[in-house]
Amino acid sequence: MGFGEAKYWMQKAEKAFERKIGVKLFYGTLNVELKEKYILNKNIQILNKEEYGGSQEVYIKPCEIFKRKAYIIRTQKNSSSKGDHPLNLLEIVSDINFRKKYNLKDGDEIKIEIK
């Protein structure tokens, strides 16, 4: 489902994300497709493009999967529906590889608790 660019951007933003959130991230995202659009509008932090040397802001919202702390990340373009991902797609980052740890496969259903 993803484009394989997460590793590049995670490496680029690693230090800035760690300073902002306090977590060293796994280089990759877990992409979760929802049945409905999800708008990030409350309780978000913003990683400014200047903080990580990128071309747009990244919005960060805490969540939990399998009782583990994780974060929904969405670029400014994706948040405004002008990016590569629709609003019903969540890109989730954490300090672990959820696919490997929980043996997840495309199409598996998971529970996400959004904070």
Side-chain angles (χ1 to χ4, degrees):
M1 177 178 294
F3 299 111
E5 296 177 8
K7 182 177 180 178
Y8 169 79
W9 288 108
M10 296 305 295
Q11 288 172 327
K12 189 170 181 76
E14 174 184 24
K15 299 280 188 237
F17 197 95
E18 194 171 347
R19 279 191 304 273
K20 184 154 302 256
I21 303 299
V23 175
K24 184 168 176 62
L25 297 176
F26 164 75
Y27 290 159
T29 60
L30 176 66
N31 291 351
V32 178
E33 187 176 0
L34 304 176
K35 293 178 184 168
E36 298 178 8
K37 294 178 183 179
Y38 183 76
I39 308 295
L40 296 177
N41 58 5
K42 289 192 243 174
N43 193 26
I44 64 168
Q45 290 190 317
I46 298 173
L47 186 61
N48 293 305
K49 57 187 174 183
E50 298 82 14
E51 291 181 83
Y52 74 99
S55 59
Q56 58 185 310
E57 293 179 340
V58 177
Y59 305 129
I60 304 165
K61 181 159 184 75
C63 66
E64 269 188 17
I65 302 175
F66 301 110
K67 301 202 185 293
R68 291 193 66 107
K69 188 180 272 192
Y71 300 90
I72 299 166
I73 58 169
R74 188 174 281 164
T75 64
Q76 186 177 10
K77 280 186 181 179
N78 284 337
S79 209
S80 66
S81 297
K82 295 177 184 170
D84 297 323
H85 293 305
L87 292 174
N88 71 320
L89 183 80
L90 300 182
E91 288 187 280
I92 299 175
V93 296
S94 183
D95 61 339
I96 63 163
N97 180 335
F98 280 107
R99 281 186 171 271
K100 283 188 179 179
K101 174 117 177 120
Y102 297 101
N103 198 30
L104 296 175
K105 296 178 183 37
D106 288 351
D108 285 353
E109 290 190 19
I110 62 170
K111 181 181 176 183
I112 302 170
E113 184 180 331
I114 299 174
K115 304 291 184 168

